[in-house]
Structure formats: structure tokens, C-alpha cells
Amino acid sequence: KMPTKGAKAKKGAAGRAASRGKGNARNNPRAFKAASGPKSMQRQAHRALEKQERQYHVNLQDRSIEAATQPPIVVVVVGPSGVGKSTLIRSLVKNWTKQNLKEANGPVTVVTGKGRRVTLIECPNDINAMCDLAKIADLVLLVVDGHFGFEMETFEFLNMCQVHGFPRVMGVLTHLDAFTNVATLRRVKKTLKHRFWTDIYDGCKLFYLSGLKHGRYPKTEVQNLARFISVLKFRPLIWRNSHPFVLADRMEDVTEPAAVARDPFVERSICVYGWVRGTFFKPSMRVHVPGVGDFS
């Protein structure tokens, strides 16, 4: 038993401190030596530096308009018909608003936090709509039927995104309740994940949605996706910095009622309301309206 008081105790404490050396250093070199050899240590240090370097980004100037109330984030839900796009939008709206949405006709805007709103748009299975939505999306939810696998529409949309600045992309796998064997499900998930990473980037986020309950996806799985969307940060895109646009939320016919009464086919004047996104519109700038043409 070690003494706790007196000269012997002081002597013992001083001796122990001297044997330890300064600070936390120890005099037992074998105990505090690196666990692996020099080659392995070199590889570990190299990997750590690579990971750190990957986190650095070139600073991009955000040329978007500084407003007290920022425009809602545009989330586009993309996928072939029958994969569950409408169900996903209904589930997200239910999660954020606690309201049941029967049909998603056009953009649906919901408040997701103190300073954030989200506009959900379902992308129809049409090449022109895909091209338009690839230009304006802040976040793309690529919905894939896990039981069937990837389809042509998914790759077409990704190719369009590459031309228009490539927004943030997240994958959503649905119809996973069709798998009865757990091992098969695990294998399919892994295969689809790596195929997804090949086309977008390694480590791209992928969410899994299993069967339906009351016509919507399970609450916890939707909550995970909704929480991720709510806190997501976006980098300014170079393409978006040079291409301003307005996503029209509302349209009004302001033609004189008397002129319409005289001639129902008279040229109409319409007002379009929406947020200016990307950057500023310049005076006398030509504007393209999809499906209609260019206007000054």
C-alpha cells in the first residue's frame, strides 16, 4: 500500500512525476509508438489530407438579389410515371403542414422553418418540361423504382442538368416493399447506390422509402428526407449567376373587359407574378417564355 501522507508520500509522488517526464509524455516508447508501419502511416496521412482538400471550394460570388424575404427553394421531383412522385409530394406536404393534399396541380409552396419556404414541383414525363425545370431547380429529388431499377428518363434529366449548371441532386428509392428477401433488398440497394454515385458523385445522398400507409410513405422515412431538405445549404451556380429567371406563381389577365366583350379574340395583356431568381434583370432585356417565344 502506498503512503498518502509524510515524506515518503512526497518522495513517491515526485518520483512518479519524474518517471513520467514533462506533461503527458511517457518514457515507454513502445506503448506510445504508432500502431502501424511507416507505409501504412504514410497512406493514412495522405488520405486525411485528400479528405481535407476535398472540402475546400473556390469562392463563388452570389449575384442573387439580397431581399429581406428570400424566395422559396425550388425542389423538383423527377422520375418516370408510376414511381411515386405525387405520393412523395403529398407525404412531404403532410409532414410540413399536417394537411392532406389530394392532388398536386402546379407548384406547391410550404413553410418549412423560420426563414425557409420550399416550392415543390412535379416534373411531367415530357422532354420540354424536363429541360425547363433543369434550369430552375435548386434541388432535384430523383425518384427511382427500386424494384424495377433505373429508367431512361432519369439519365435524360441528368444530362440536361449537366448543361444548365447541375443543381443539388438527391435520390429517392421507392417500392422497396416488393422485396421479401432481406439479402436481395440489401444487394439491390448497394447496386443502385453505386450506379447512382457513378452518374452524379461519390457519396451522393440516397433515401429509401418502403411501402405505403394510408396512401403515403412511412412517417419516419419522410421526416428524415424533410429534415434534410429543411437544412440543406446551396452554393451559387455559375450558370444561374448569368441567367436570371422568374418562376410564375400567379398570372392575371389585365385586358380591358370592354375590349374583350367587343372581340373575344382580341390580343390580351397579362401580368405574371413571381420571384426574380438567379441575378438581376437588365433594362430592355429580352425574355423567353417557354412555349410562347421571346419578348422585349
Side-chain angles (χ1 to χ4, degrees), residues 40-267:
S40 177
M41 283 172 64
Q42 193 178 352
R43 276 199 302 271
Q44 281 177 4
H46 193 211
R47 185 168 175 273
L49 286 168
E50 268 191 347
K51 277 178 73 179
Q52 188 181 347
E53 199 64 32
R54 258 191 237 120
Q55 293 171 356
Y56 298 139
H57 292 291
V58 178
N59 284 333
L60 285 176
Q61 185 187 3
D62 191 0
R63 298 184 63 212
S64 58
I65 298 158
E66 285 291 332
T69 308
Q70 290 297 319
I73 290 155
V74 180
V75 177
V76 176
V77 183
V78 183
S81 55
V83 293
K85 299 190 295 291
S86 304
T87 311
L88 178 58
I89 290 175
R90 285 203 309 271
S91 303
L92 286 169
V93 170
K94 175 70 173 177
N95 178 74
W96 279 318
T97 64
K98 305 294 182 278
Q99 302 291 322
N100 289 320
L101 183 72
K102 287 185 180 178
E103 286 182 51
N105 294 324
V108 180
T109 304
V110 291
V111 177
T112 62
K114 270 187 182 177
R116 176 167 284 202
R117 284 165 303 159
V118 168
T119 298
L120 298 163
I121 305 175
E122 183 182 342
C123 180
N125 214 2
D126 173 53
I127 200 89
N128 298 313
M130 283 182 181
C131 188
D132 293 332
L133 288 172
K135 297 173 187 175
I136 66 164
D138 292 314
L139 170 67
V140 175
L141 295 180
L142 272 181
V143 187
V144 178
D145 185 343
H147 193 241
F148 186 85
F150 286 99
E151 295 182 49
M152 204 66 223
E153 289 85 349
T154 309
F155 299 116
E156 281 176 355
F157 189 83
L158 285 174
N159 284 340
M160 289 177 191
C161 285
Q162 283 172 345
V163 182
H164 300 114
F166 216 97
R168 289 291 295 267
V169 176
M170 292 197 306
V172 179
L173 291 185
T174 58
H175 296 163
L176 296 178
D177 53 320
F179 293 97
T180 50
N181 190 345
V182 179
T184 310
L185 174 61
R186 197 181 296 124
R187 192 183 70 249
V188 167
K189 275 184 181 180
K190 191 175 178 181
T191 308
L192 289 173
K193 180 177 74 174
H194 286 291
R195 183 69 185 86
F196 207 73
W197 287 5
T198 306
D199 272 285
I200 301 168
Y201 64 88
D202 280 358
C204 181
K205 200 75 181 162
L206 202 59
F207 289 89
Y208 306 107
L209 300 178
S210 46
L212 296 175
K213 195 174 181 183
H214 307 302
R216 290 186 299 273
Y217 292 116
K219 193 176 177 182
T220 48
E221 294 173 0
V222 174
Q223 265 180 348
N224 288 339
L225 175 59
R227 192 178 294 123
F228 207 86
I229 294 170
S230 299
V231 299
L232 206 60
K233 291 181 181 175
F234 300 96
R235 295 188 74 222
L237 299 177
I238 298 169
W239 195 87
R240 204 71 59 82
N241 271 346
S242 54
H243 294 79
F245 66 94
V246 172
L247 172 62
D249 295 317
R250 185 162 59 93
M251 187 178 73
E252 282 185 15
D253 186 355
V254 292
T255 318
E256 286 288 333
V260 178
R262 282 195 305 273
D263 181 9
F265 300 103
V266 71
E267 283 194 355

